[in-house]
Amino acid sequence: MTILEDAELRPLDNLIEPRWWTGAPATDPSRFTIDAADHRMNDGRPDLQGDLPLRMREVFADVGVVHVVNTGLTEHSDMRALAATVIDAEMSYAGGANPRERIEPNVYEVGAPLEARLHYHHEMAYLAKSTRLLGFLAKSVVPGGGQTYVSDNIAATDALLATEFGQRLRELGVCYRRDLTDRDTFAGRLNYGVYNHWQQSFGTEDPDEAVQRANERGLVSDWGPDRLLRTHYRSSAFEYYPGLDRNLLFSSIADHGMWFDTWPLVQHLPYDQRPLGLTFGDGTEFTRHELEQYVAVYDAHGTPIDWSVGDVAIVCNYRFAHGRPEIRLEPGQDRELGVMLGEQFDRVGALDDKW
């Protein structure tokens, strides 16, 4: 029995919980892991003028993910310099869903509480402008835990297209809904039910400019009570990937209300009142079984990335989805990953002759 078939056996009265992987990595970590200890200068730092950057680019091009370990680095700025040997063009996080703050120029915090589960997703799939790749910089880690998972999206695409649900996604596409609150309305109040303010998402205090920036990213927007900015974006559930000259899955339940099942201050809300919503492109809601398949197809092709301080990982946003389980810290523990966003691209959706 496949994971997709097994999904229908889960109890209907429970939350849909991702398994993340099968217990064996779908992508052999030896294919994408580079030991920086073999590429250090006399001062112990990675040699960015030697063959390490070339090796990183080769592995990334071949696999779609590269994980550099034993760097000896402790600061985000130094890790960013290492990641920039692959991420040679960066985009700003404008119009993003998560309430991310800059740690330093072009390095962002994850923008989600550690106790929140982050379902597998493709970064910024809910906008007409997305990123080709992203980087993770490990500033502090949880020993023996706190893994990030990546899922082979080529295999996931093939598996989902073999199902009736996958074919329905191909035909109907998806529609993303986001509700962005007004920061001034919540000034001095507990952020009860707040996910992200439009001022932070679009980087402006001007409502007209926020709408303009939303429009530039393919969003249809309108204003609700208390200056709530509502946006909608209809798109293909797939995206043409020039690197393989084919369409790949480019959507997940991460943009459904289920994203908030473990999110403090929001998880108590019914799905239709949560800040994110996802339906088929014609507005039809997903069935329970379809949502389970959406989760299971990524789980079936997942691989964990174990973190040590100084690690740098770069992930292709087309070829892999990424996510992580909830994280519970013990006293004295911390976990901080910096995030870099690579080159921006304009979404074209799926091309008719590239299946």
Side-chain angles (χ1 to χ4, degrees):
M1 180 177 287
T2 68
I3 285 184
L4 288 180
E5 292 168 338
D6 184 51
E8 64 185 321
L9 303 179
R10 299 181 190 177
L12 295 180
D13 56 350
N14 291 337
L15 299 179
I16 300 175
E17 299 186 9
R19 299 176 182 177
W20 303 108
W21 65 323
T22 63
T27 304
D28 184 352
S30 68
R31 293 184 59 208
F32 61 77
T33 304
I34 298 175
D35 191 341
D38 301 327
H39 305 271
R40 289 188 180 179
M41 300 183 292
N42 292 335
D43 62 2
R45 298 164 62 84
D47 184 0
L48 302 188
Q49 304 303 316
D51 60 359
L52 176 58
L54 175 60
R55 179 63 182 147
M56 290 171 62
R57 290 191 290 268
E58 289 175 343
V59 170
F60 180 80
D62 179 44
V63 184
V65 57
V66 58
H67 180 203
V68 187
V69 301
N70 294 322
T71 67
L73 302 176
T74 59
E75 300 299 326
H76 277 135
S77 57
D78 295 325
M79 289 179 249
R80 176 178 176 246
L82 179 60
T85 63
V86 176
I87 303 176
D88 56 2
E90 300 173 51
M91 67 175 289
S92 63
Y93 192 67
N98 279 12
R100 287 180 170 159
E101 299 285 355
R102 281 183 173 86
I103 298 173
E104 63 172 70
N106 291 321
V107 178
Y108 299 86
E109 62 179 12
V110 171
L114 290 175
E115 59 266 40
R117 174 193 306 140
L118 306 186
H119 283 280
Y120 276 119
H121 61 284
H122 300 274
E123 201 69 26
M124 305 182 82
Y126 47 80
L127 297 172
K129 295 182 183 294
S130 186
T131 182
R132 298 186 187 279
L133 68 167
L134 63 160
F136 297 98
L137 319 175
K139 170 77 171 179
S140 56
V141 303
V142 179
Q147 293 90 347
T148 294
Y149 287 78
V150 293
S151 180
D152 179 353
N153 194 43
I154 300 170
T157 299
D158 292 339
L160 197 64
L161 284 173
T163 68
E164 181 179 343
F165 170 51
Q167 290 301 314
R168 196 172 181 210
L169 273 177
R170 171 178 170 174
E171 176 187 356
L172 297 178
V174 290
C175 180
Y176 301 91
R177 171 190 60 79
R178 284 195 296 161
D179 290 347
L180 299 171
T181 47
D182 174 60
R183 186 180 57 215
D184 297 338
T185 300
F186 284 85
R189 295 166 54 186
L190 177 68
N191 283 345
Y192 189 74
V194 171
Y195 177 48
N196 199 3
H197 300 308
W198 57 260
Q199 290 94 334
Q200 184 164 347
S201 178
F202 292 106
T204 180
E205 303 295 319
D206 185 338
D208 293 334
E209 188 171 3
V211 170
Q212 178 182 342
R213 294 183 180 183
N215 293 341
E216 290 171 353
R217 286 156 181 82
L219 303 175
V220 176
S221 58
D222 61 89
W223 293 100
D226 295 326
R227 293 212 307 176
L228 180 76
L229 182 59
R230 294 169 169 156
T231 71
H232 292 83
Y233 174 58
R234 285 179 171 82
S235 72
S236 172
F238 299 81
E239 184 70 19
Y240 173 68
Y241 173 44
L244 292 176
D245 192 30
R246 61 164 295 185
N247 299 320
L248 293 176
L249 184 61
F250 207 72
S251 60
S252 75
I253 68 156
D255 298 290
H256 188 272
M258 289 172 53
W259 177 256
F260 299 107
D261 281 347
T262 57
W263 196 286
L265 303 180
V266 182
Q267 62 189 19
H268 68 286
L269 296 172
Y271 280 167
D272 62 355
Q273 296 179 27
R274 294 184 180 184
L276 297 182
L278 180 71
T279 64
F280 284 108
D282 64 355
T284 304
E285 297 286 346
F286 296 108
T287 67
R288 168 80 185 201
H289 182 48
E290 288 169 338
L291 291 172
E292 288 172 334
Q293 290 180 85
Y294 234 160
V295 173
V297 74
Y298 286 112
D299 289 348
H301 303 99
T303 299
I305 293 180
D306 295 305
W307 296 111
S308 295
V309 172
D311 283 6
V312 170
I314 300 138
V315 180
C316 175
N317 202 30
Y318 293 100
R319 295 172 63 179
F320 283 87
H322 65 280
R324 65 152 173 80
E326 308 93 312
I327 297 173
R328 304 289 179 181
L329 298 179
E330 298 296 332
Q333 289 184 338
D334 189 21
R335 182 188 190 271
E336 182 181 345
L337 295 187
V339 178
M340 295 175 62
L341 300 176
E343 181 184 5
Q344 179 176 282
F345 75 94
D346 293 328
R347 290 200 58 189
V348 298
L351 301 186
D352 291 341
D353 59 344
K354 298 301 179 181
W355 294 102

